[in-house]
């Protein structure tokens, strides 16, 4: 079992930045592939970014490429999502996810999920 707790969400003006954190705990959590997803009201949950357990490979959605960066610190069992140049359309609940096998862009690629953190971008 892996437990995931997100933090760092909040209200920010368009053009601003936020850094989300996802603290993982549990058996071998540092060896898990990790991902960030988001879900806006009335919309499906969508992939934002993913990272392999080593941090050697990442995947970023086209909608946030060049603005968002995923990284991890395995010594702290924490994954980060640095979000720059935020837009109102980035407003959503952001979820952290983990899987023991591989990183991917689909929700079914991940076994464990956090509770989410709200990000609101005002225009």
């Amino acid at each position: 079992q892996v437990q995931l707790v997100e933090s760092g969400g909040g209200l920010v003006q368009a053009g601003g930045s936020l850094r989300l954190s996802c603290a993982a705990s549990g058996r071998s959590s540092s060896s898990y592939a990790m991902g960030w997803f988001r879900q806006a009201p009335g919309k499906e949950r969508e992939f934002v970014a993913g990272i392999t357990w080593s941090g050697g490979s990442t995947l970023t959605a086209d909608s946030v490429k060049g603005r968002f960066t995923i990284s991890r610190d395995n010594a702290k069992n924490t994954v980060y999502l640095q979000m720059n140049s935020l837009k109102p359309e980035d407003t959503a609940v952001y979820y952290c996810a983990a899987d023991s096998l591989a990183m991917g862009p689909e929700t079914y690629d991940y076994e464990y999920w956090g509770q989410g953190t709200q990000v609101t971008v005002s225009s």
Side-chain angles (χ1 to χ4, degrees):
Q1 280 281 13
V2 175
Q3 295 77 43
L4 305 172
V5 178
E6 303 95 334
S7 62
L11 174 64
V12 64
Q13 288 189 332
S17 298
L18 282 174
R19 188 176 80 157
L20 304 184
S21 299
C22 173
S25 61
R27 186 179 180 87
S28 302
S29 56
S30 63
S31 65
Y32 280 59
M34 304 290 289
W36 285 99
F37 287 75
R38 67 186 182 185
Q39 188 166 18
K43 295 188 177 181
E44 293 187 352
R45 193 169 296 189
E46 65 172 356
F47 175 76
V48 175
I51 189 166
T52 55
W53 72 269
S54 67
S57 181
T58 62
L59 182 65
T60 306
D62 288 343
S63 59
V64 303
K65 195 167 292 183
R67 300 188 297 122
F68 291 12
T69 303
I70 188 171
S71 62
R72 69 190 297 161
D73 184 339
N74 284 345
K76 297 181 179 180
N77 286 341
T78 301
V79 175
Y80 304 98
L81 184 68
Q82 178 66 44
M83 305 186 296
N84 299 327
S85 303
L86 282 160
K87 304 175 181 180
E89 50 264 44
D90 294 319
T91 295
V93 177
Y94 283 71
Y95 296 91
C96 176
D99 195 82
S100 60
L101 294 180
M103 172 264 294
E106 304 294 342
T107 56
Y108 56 71
D109 290 324
Y110 299 88
E111 183 175 5
Y112 301 103
W113 292 84
Q115 293 300 307
T117 185
Q118 176 71 46
V119 171
T120 303
V121 184
S122 62
S123 57

